[in-house]
Amino acid sequence: MLSDQAVLGPGRRVSEEKAPREKPNQLTLRQPRQGPTDEAQMAAAAALARLEQKQPRARGPTSQDSIRNQVRKELRAEATISGSPEVPGINVVPEPKEEGSTHLAVPGVYFTCPLTGATLRKDQRDAHIKEAILSHFATDPVAASIMKIHTFNKDRDRVKLGVDTIAKYLDNIHLHPEEEKYRKIKLQNKVFQERINCLEGAHEFFEAIGFQKVMLPVANKEGPEEFYVLSEAVLAQPQNLERHREWLLAAEPVRATLHRQRRIFRPSPLASQFDLPGDFFNLTAEEIKREQRLRSDAVERLSVLRTKAMREKEQQRELRKYTYALLRVRLPDGCLLQGTFYARERMAAVYGFVREALLSDWLPFELLASGGQKLSEDENLALNECGLVPSALLTFSWDTAVLEDVKAAGAKPDSSILKPELLSAIEKLS
């Protein structure tokens, strides 16, 4: 089923329309050289816990679109029955192919298909999602055709215009059920050709909701022309037609979500060292090094001559250089929590990622950047604007005042920071 979020609008004639306005597979790493003892790491980290910070707002989980949950269930059921490895959603993360990737901080950037739950490389995303949508036509053609319209067509303005036009066709049928002219759509009509015929999935949608192609005579024409005609059976149940209209208007493109690749590491002196794969950069590593050398050579000469506009332009160029960010969070016991983020994500996403891993997720905490800079959960700056790209080590600190209140009440805070199931998969950082 599709999401029930929709916006109902009044019916209007078509001619009135204007132009458009994550759990990852744990990766086995080679054993690193031995670092400082756990006790030494925990003692150093405990000092950071005495820093004060304000309490962040609690954020509840967001609900997922019901249509995607239904598609995922059905595709997985098909995979179970057939046992075929070709069914979308049962493939696993491929082994990293990058040369010398043994010591990379992360093997690459991966994504999760919201329909099947499969973990994908960047170059696999579109093909996998298309395959998942097409495979769903056999079980729910209405849902599949709606997903196809919103996902296969990249021009969002054109999609909106086409979807609004289809909705008006259905509006007119709903508002004027006795008028036969609204139940027929001429395929060679200029509006239909310009706004609907060009959309992938549009014809499948009309046929899925009960329209049939029929050749009908046309006044002042020698031969018949092709029409979509709504069947009498569908007309007898107008509530279904209205529901399909709402689904069509409320739908969004199916997009793969960034796989966080969450990993837990023991305390390590290598916490601030990051060896990133090329996926994290818009430029190649060689291009970045060359650009850094040139900038370093010219900075003295240009610093006086640059105007404010030139400096702002250079700053924007720096922000666009990175697409992703790999962050590690050092916890009070010295353990490290690692995850992958978009460079343009906000700090709230990082706070949510950390909170999901905490045993006492109700206690307020704060994240600090290098140098003790406080990073607020409510800050509207992106990670790249906070200087956290392409990688950064953050420090976790409990709210000192709240901990004092807990102790005053006679309670003891949990000795363990992370959830047990995460600690069971802890690794050594190398």
Side-chain angles (χ1 to χ4, degrees):
M1 294 179 60
L2 288 167
S3 171
D4 59 0
Q5 297 178 353
V7 180
L8 298 180
R12 299 195 298 274
R13 294 184 181 276
V14 173
S15 59
E16 295 175 356
E17 179 61 54
K18 296 182 179 180
R21 321 162 285 279
E22 2 172 281
K23 294 183 180 179
N25 293 332
Q26 294 296 332
L27 303 177
T28 304
L29 300 177
R30 295 179 182 176
Q31 294 294 327
R33 62 181 183 272
Q34 183 64 39
T37 64
D38 290 356
E39 291 78 4
Q41 292 288 336
M42 293 173 64
L48 296 172
R50 293 192 290 271
L51 296 173
E52 290 188 0
Q53 66 278 338
K54 63 183 181 181
Q55 178 175 345
R57 298 181 301 183
R59 297 176 183 266
T62 58
S63 59
Q64 295 186 356
D65 191 352
S66 58
I67 180 177
R68 296 178 180 178
N69 290 333
Q70 181 64 24
V71 172
R72 184 185 296 111
K73 292 177 182 177
E74 293 176 1
L75 289 173
R76 286 177 176 171
E78 293 172 7
T80 302
I81 295 172
S82 65
S84 170
E86 301 301 322
V87 177
I90 61 174
N91 56 316
V92 296
V93 181
E95 291 298 321
K97 302 295 184 181
E98 187 167 344
E99 186 176 348
S101 62
T102 303
H103 299 294
L104 289 176
V106 66
V109 176
Y110 294 95
F111 300 82
T112 302
C113 174
L115 299 178
T116 66
T119 302
L120 311 163
R121 295 192 310 269
K122 186 189 301 185
D123 60 349
Q124 296 174 321
R125 292 177 299 178
D126 291 345
H128 179 90
I129 289 176
K130 285 184 177 182
E131 182 183 356
I133 291 174
L134 293 175
S135 68
H136 197 55
F137 270 97
T139 55
D140 191 344
V142 175
S145 61
I146 290 176
M147 288 189 290
K148 185 175 181 179
I149 289 173
H150 284 276
T151 306
F152 284 35
N153 302 284
K154 304 304 181 183
D155 188 332
R156 299 307 303 159
D157 288 335
R158 176 169 289 187
V159 170
K160 185 180 188 310
L161 179 60
V163 165
D164 288 346
T165 304
I166 295 173
K168 288 177 177 58
Y169 280 131
L170 302 184
D171 264 341
N172 288 334
I173 295 172
H174 178 72
L175 296 173
H176 311 283
E178 303 302 324
E179 296 191 38
E180 184 179 356
K181 66 178 181 178
Y182 291 119
R183 286 178 266 157
K184 297 187 297 183
I185 303 173
K186 185 180 177 182
L187 269 62
Q188 293 304 314
N189 176 276
K190 181 180 179 181
V191 171
F192 186 93
Q193 286 293 315
E194 292 180 352
R195 302 181 184 180
I196 299 175
N197 190 60
C198 58
L199 293 181
E200 290 190 65
H203 287 281
E204 290 95 329
F205 175 75
F206 277 108
E207 293 169 8
I209 66 174
F211 280 89
Q212 299 171 340
K213 286 184 178 179
V214 179
M215 301 298 293
L216 297 175
V218 179
N220 302 322
K221 296 284 185 178
E222 291 186 3
E225 293 193 15
E226 195 170 30
F227 285 77
Y228 269 132
V229 179
L230 187 64
S231 67
E232 293 292 336
V234 174
L235 193 60
Q237 296 180 313
Q239 70 278 5
N240 291 339
L241 210 59
E242 181 63 18
R243 185 172 66 253
H244 296 155
R245 171 191 172 279
E246 294 175 2
W247 291 351
L248 178 66
L249 288 171
E252 294 289 339
V254 180
R255 297 285 183 257
T257 57
L258 182 64
H259 198 309
R260 295 295 187 203
Q261 299 188 77
R262 180 174 58 197
R263 298 171 72 181
I264 311 297
F265 297 107
R266 292 187 177 91
S268 172
L270 305 176
S272 60
Q273 297 183 18
F274 295 86
D275 187 7
L276 299 176
D279 292 353
F280 276 73
F281 306 96
N282 285 334
L283 299 178
T284 66
E286 292 76 14
E287 289 173 329
I288 291 174
K289 290 178 181 178
R290 183 172 63 251
E291 185 173 329
Q292 288 174 339
R293 285 197 303 267
L294 293 174
R295 185 178 296 111
S296 177
D297 295 338
V299 65
E300 289 284 340
R301 179 169 50 87
L302 296 178
S303 58
V304 179
L305 302 177
R306 287 185 307 169
T307 65
K308 179 180 179 182
M310 292 170 62
R311 291 194 297 271
E312 291 177 349
K313 186 176 181 180
E314 183 174 333
Q315 290 172 355
Q316 290 300 316
R317 186 168 60 248
E318 283 291 315
L319 293 180
R320 290 193 298 269
K321 184 181 295 182
Y322 307 109
T323 306
Y324 308 101
L326 185 66
L327 301 183
R328 287 181 188 147
V329 179
R330 181 161 25 215
L331 301 168
D333 60 3
C335 291
L336 302 167
L337 173 64
Q338 176 177 289
T340 303
F341 299 84
Y342 283 112
R344 294 185 178 275
E345 285 191 80
R346 303 308 192 220
M347 280 305 303
V350 182
Y351 270 84
F353 171 76
V354 174
R355 188 174 289 114
E356 289 175 357
L358 299 178
L359 186 60
S360 300
D361 57 2
W362 56 274
L363 280 175
F365 63 90
E366 191 168 64
L367 298 177
L368 308 175
S370 60
Q373 175 194 358
K374 294 182 180 181
L375 301 170
S376 172
E377 181 173 7
D378 300 322
E379 184 62 62
N380 197 35
L381 293 176
L383 300 184
N384 55 4
E385 295 173 313
C386 295
L388 303 180
V389 294
S391 60
L393 174 63
L394 308 180
T395 300
F396 176 103
S397 177
W398 288 116
D399 187 305
T400 307
V402 173
L403 285 181
E404 292 298 329
D405 291 341
V406 171
K407 293 178 181 178
K412 293 183 178 180
D414 294 315
S415 58
S416 177
I417 305 295
L418 299 174
K419 295 177 179 177
E421 59 269 25
L422 299 181
L423 287 174
S424 65
I426 197 168
E427 308 172 54
K428 288 185 178 180
L429 182 61
S430 63

